[in-house]
Amino acid sequence: MLPLHGKIVAITGASGGIGEATARLLAQRGAAVVLAARRSERIDAVAHDIREEGGRAATCVVDVTRAEDLQRLVATTIDRYGRIDVLVNNAGIAPISPLADFDTASWSAMIDVNLRGMLHGVAAALPVFREQGSGHLVSIVSVAGLYGASPAMAVYAATKNAVRTVHEGLRTESTDGVVRTTAISPGYTRTDLANSMTDPHIRERIRKNMDAVSIPPAAVARAVAFAIEQPDDVEIGEINVRPTAQA
Ligand SMILES: NC(=O)c1ccc[n+]([C@@H]2O[C@H](COP(=O)([O-])OP(=O)(O)OC[C@H]3O[C@@H](n4cnc5c(N)ncnc54)[C@H](OP(=O)(O)O)[C@@H]3O)[C@@H](O)[C@H]2O)c1
């Protein structure tokens, strides 16, 4: 039997990059996946591919900045597959810039998507996990969230550090064995994340770095699968997965 047979997993930001790779890998390993993002044509195409390959996949158009969209994602998952075992909180943006640029619109956007979006997922999934007697929250954080900030990364790193802090809080509040939490921090990963960068110089620098040293999104997907595949009484708290050659 496939290792994730019977697992029901909802994934935000599944229209590309790490979220798409995660949806494809988990489905190959037997999970039923619900792909969520704003670009409906992208998630529909990926779900179609997964079904063509014999997997189980549904979609839900979600903007994670809207709390009600996460409620709808959880409800859709339960309607479709009867329960929700895992929510992968992956949607994220990185319109990074030096603080001195005062790009306050990007600061707000990163807080809304990276942090508030994650909290909306917690609010939607946690009551259901408790009702079911089990559930697993996985967040894609960043190595930028492991330390203080490097130049231009302050607000992005702050949102990612905050997500890790919320994970830690959830873990300390979940000693009844019901909710598992896993924070996965990738280094440079070959995705479209640079497209969310508004400063053209920074965007080009990050693209160059990604071209020079990066791992494929499937490497992060394997870390997600590893955490989910553990027995219910085993919690993988944190995984850092980065290119061997990344400083
Ligand atoms: N690539 C890296 O080097 C790297 C390193 C560390 C951490 N990460 C993290 O990995 C996660 C995935 O990023 P990625 O690298 O795979 O980048 P990506 O290819 O740009 O994917 C980002 C995903 O987030 C979704 N998204 C953005 N805003 C959203 C919103 N408001 N509501 C719903 N979905 C939204 C996008 O879908 P739609 O546009 O269709 O909504 C897309 O599917 C992010 O949290 C990122 O911070 C990436």
Side-chain angles (χ1 to χ4, degrees), residues 44 72-73 116 123 154 193 196 204-205 208 213 218 236 239:
D44 284 347
R72 191 164 39 74
L73 173 60
R116 222 171 247 128
L193 190 67
S196 69
E204 277 324 297
R205 178 163 58 79
K208 271 192 188 138
V213 178
I236 303 295
I239 301 177

Side-chain angles (χ1 to χ4, degrees), residues 13-18 37-39 62-64 90-93 113 140-142 156 160 186-189 191-193 210:
S15 58
I18 292 168
R38 292 166 304 175
R39 286 172 294 169
V62 164
D63 180 337
V64 297
N90 164 73
I93 56 171
V113 175
I140 305 304
V141 192
S142 170
Y156 178 73
K160 295 296 187 175
Y188 278 127
T189 309
T191 69
D192 290 335
L193 190 67
M210 279 187 183

